[in-house]
Amino acid sequence: MSRTVTLVLVDAAAPVLSEWCARWRAEAPGYEPERAVELLRSVVALRMAAVYAMFLDGIEASERVYHATDVDTYLEKAVAQVAASA
């Protein structure tokens, strides 16, 4: 599952996610794995925001400029994903 979670924000992963969903449906009929993937997108974005926040806490000030907007970017993605899945 953790590998799949890392893929939900990557558009190029659509074929992998499609296959994963098909296998899920085959093993557990009656569930909606595509809906689970959609809901996970906001969780993954929030996780990435937290990862970047911790990363920023540990790097030198001179390096912060390269990642200064990463936390906000992922927070915005999380909000967009929630809106899209509502």
Side-chain angles (χ1 to χ4, degrees):
M1 177 68 169
S2 63
R3 176 70 68 183
T4 305
V5 168
T6 62
L7 294 174
V8 299
L9 291 179
V10 181
D11 291 336
V16 173
L17 289 172
S18 178
E19 178 63 22
W20 181 76
C21 289
R23 290 180 185 204
W24 184 352
R25 274 192 308 281
E27 293 294 320
Y31 289 94
E32 299 179 38
E34 292 85 0
R35 180 71 175 143
V37 168
E38 287 305 311
L39 294 173
L40 274 175
R41 291 182 195 278
S42 60
V43 174
V44 171
L46 287 172
R47 179 185 175 278
M48 290 302 298
V51 166
Y52 274 107
M54 288 186 295
F55 174 71
L56 286 169
D57 287 344
I59 64 173
E60 296 177 22
S62 63
E63 296 295 317
R64 290 181 66 85
V65 66
Y66 301 110
H67 299 282
T69 63
D70 292 344
V71 173
D72 290 341
T73 297
Y74 280 103
L75 289 174
E76 289 169 6
K77 285 184 182 194
V79 170
Q81 291 299 334
V82 167
S85 66

